Amino acid sequence: MTVLQKKSDNPIAHLSADDIDEIGRRLDAIRAEVIAARGASDAAYIRRVIGVQRTLELGSRAVLLFSKFPPAWFLGTAGLSVAKILENMEIGHNIMHGQWDWMRDEKIHSTTWEWDNASPSEQWKHSHNDLHHTYTNVIGRDNDLGYGIMRVDEDQRWVPMYLAQPLWNFVNACFFEYGIAAYDLELGKNLSTPKRRNDPEFRARGRQVLRKIRSQLLKDYVVHPALSGPSFVSTIAANATANFVRNIWTHSVIMCGHFPEGVETFSRSSIEGETRGEWYLRQMLGSANISGTRAMHVMTGNLSYQIEHHLFPDLPSNRYHEIAPKIRQIFHDYQLTYTTGPLPKQVASAWSKVFRLSLPNDFTATLRTEPKVALKSLLGRRRRPTRRPAAPLSAAA
């Protein structure tokens, strides 16, 4: 993808200002309709999901008390993996978005919920809710575009470290909860200079992250294994496996939200004076969905409806499947592309982009016609002694 404003085939060139305003009005009407209708059935849904998750986690941990026996290990590990995914995706992510604040239940509220993850909820809400959802897919403003360690758009300047980004992405997937914690802490940026490293606010947030990580490690790798007695070692292995499965799954789902082909990016200047209709339009074009079964949608935290979620991040997640046809109708009426596909296709598309953009733009363009010349071009870049230093993503926008 390339920032939309630089494309020769701009997909919104046919829209007038009145069209964009009308899109905004139609979306506002959908939002108002859901808000007016939400009630007891929605509250019952989230309480039921929380109940299922807690029962599954407690049951799985009970089974793992006997995890030295292989059948108990496999059963307990599978159950705990599903419980951790449910907690992070359908429960934690959505509660911290404030989707259930209207219930006035302090136990299911964005201001009180702490999730099963290395990143403290307070820091995640700032980096995700305040920054990512505000500056969705704006080059140089939305750090979710590559998480600060990868190049996922042609308009991000290429530097040699991106040659290894498939490896960075794989490592990040394996340890995703710690990657999120480092991302929320803006670790690379804040460790780059003595002034930033010694900033009291950064150091306080760093101590908060360390306390959360210590708590997570104590729970999964000390207390629960100790309760297992003779199954101490196998329980550690089970918890590590469940965390690994959760990390791989959540990383895959989240990559599908903004990385697949067909998703648009935007320049920083494009959001100056942005109207409500234009903000909606950016969310529509900057997100991608995953098609699948109802169970799959729940396991993704309904982030498989990423377009609907980005339009209305504070509406109850169980309502996204209801409004999806109406959103899709708006795409159709205004001749816009509703980007969606099965999970394997979207994951493959995202990974393809990670590999493709690990190389310079001119290299990948030339590779399609003159592979030998392109290879020489890349080698020449690597040998050049006066190569430009790495630049922050913001400079590339």
Side-chain angles (χ1 to χ4, degrees):
M1 55 188 173
T2 296
V3 292
L4 185 146
Q5 292 79 9
K6 295 181 181 178
K7 281 190 163 182
S8 57
D9 56 341
N10 188 330
I12 60 171
H14 61 287
L15 297 180
S16 67
D18 287 342
D19 289 333
I20 296 173
D21 287 344
E22 180 59 20
I23 288 173
R25 282 191 287 272
R26 289 179 64 174
L27 290 171
D28 277 341
I30 292 172
R31 172 183 169 77
E33 186 179 342
V34 174
I35 289 177
R38 69 188 178 191
S41 63
D42 302 286
Y45 169 79
I46 190 60
R47 289 189 172 115
R48 185 165 62 250
V49 173
I50 292 172
V52 168
Q53 188 275 332
R54 288 178 176 170
T55 301
L56 183 60
E57 179 172 354
L58 286 173
S60 300
R61 290 193 183 279
V63 171
L64 287 174
L65 295 176
F66 310 96
S67 59
K68 69 177 183 177
F69 302 107
W73 190 92
F74 284 107
L75 182 62
T77 303
L80 188 59
S81 299
V82 173
K84 282 177 172 286
I85 289 171
L86 274 177
E87 198 285 331
N88 273 197
M89 305 297 277
E90 182 65 340
I91 301 173
H93 171 273
N94 294 332
I95 288 177
M96 291 190 291
H97 258 297
Q99 294 182 5
W100 310 96
D101 286 1
W102 56 272
M103 292 165 55
R104 308 291 185 189
D105 184 339
E106 64 177 16
K107 294 180 180 178
I108 310 175
H109 200 277
S110 62
T111 59
T112 59
W113 192 269
E114 188 58 63
W115 63 345
D116 180 18
N117 195 287
S119 179
S121 61
E122 178 184 339
Q123 295 190 27
W124 180 86
K125 285 186 288 188
H126 171 69
S127 63
H128 186 79
N129 296 356
D130 298 342
L131 299 181
H132 168 58
H133 274 268
T134 301
Y135 302 110
T136 307
N137 282 28
V138 177
I139 301 290
R141 299 298 297 271
D142 181 6
N143 282 337
D144 270 36
L145 285 173
Y147 313 130
I149 59 172
M150 295 188 297
R151 176 176 178 260
V152 294
D153 188 280
E154 285 84 352
D155 278 78
Q156 292 172 317
R157 181 177 298 169
W158 183 87
V159 294
M161 72 168 251
Y162 292 136
L163 286 169
Q165 70 178 28
L167 175 62
W168 307 146
N169 198 38
F170 176 71
V171 173
N172 189 38
C174 295
F175 301 95
F176 194 45
E177 66 173 316
Y178 299 103
I180 293 173
Y183 170 87
D184 294 343
L185 200 53
E186 297 183 279
L187 199 58
K189 173 183 172 183
N190 284 316
L191 290 179
S192 62
T193 66
K195 182 179 179 181
R196 287 184 178 278
R197 283 196 294 273
N198 294 319
D199 180 78
E201 181 183 350
F202 167 66
R203 294 176 74 85
R205 291 195 296 126
R207 288 192 293 272
Q208 185 184 28
V209 171
L210 291 176
R211 285 195 297 272
K212 184 67 189 294
I213 291 176
R214 185 171 60 243
S215 170
Q216 292 293 109
L217 294 177
L218 191 66
K219 177 187 67 175
D220 278 343
Y221 301 115
V222 177
V223 175
H224 185 217
L227 292 174
S228 300
S231 299
F232 181 86
V233 174
S234 57
T235 299
I236 288 178
N239 288 351
T241 302
N243 283 325
F244 175 77
V245 171
R246 184 270 315 274
N247 287 342
I248 294 292
W249 176 261
T250 55
H251 178 270
S252 298
V253 170
I254 290 170
M255 271 216 313
C256 292
H258 302 287
F259 288 9
E261 298 293 347
V263 173
E264 306 288 352
T265 56
F266 308 85
S267 68
R268 284 200 284 187
S269 61
S270 71
I271 61 172
E272 295 174 2
E274 189 176 57
T275 66
R276 185 167 179 80
E278 289 168 340
W279 183 87
Y280 273 136
L281 190 58
R282 179 158 56 85
Q283 308 305 319
M284 293 166 71
L285 301 178
S287 307
N289 282 8
I290 304 169
S291 58
T293 65
R294 182 68 187 133
M296 191 279 295
H297 290 308
V298 172
M299 291 301 287
T300 67
N302 279 293
L303 292 180
S304 45
Y305 294 107
Q306 188 75 223
I307 295 171
E308 289 73 16
H309 171 63
H310 260 266
L311 289 171
F312 311 116
D314 60 344
L315 290 186
S317 60
N318 61 315
R319 293 282 186 163
Y320 289 149
H321 78 281
E322 292 179 8
I323 65 173
K326 299 176 183 177
I327 303 299
R328 198 159 188 160
Q329 185 63 50
I330 294 176
F331 273 83
H332 178 268
D333 292 346
Y334 290 92
Q335 301 173 45
L336 301 171
T337 301
Y338 188 87
T339 304
T340 187
L343 182 63
K345 175 189 173 185
Q346 299 299 77
V347 170
S349 177
W351 269 100
S352 172
K353 183 174 291 181
V354 170
F355 275 93
R356 177 167 59 82
L357 293 180
S358 66
L359 301 171
N361 294 341
D362 54 349
F363 176 83
T364 53
T366 310
L367 184 63
R368 288 192 284 271
T369 54
E370 301 178 66
K372 293 181 180 178
V373 174
L375 181 57
K376 288 181 180 178
S377 174
L378 178 61
L379 293 175
R381 286 174 183 273
R382 297 178 66 185
R383 295 191 185 105
R384 191 177 301 162
T386 56
R387 183 176 56 217
R388 287 183 176 183
L393 295 184
S394 58

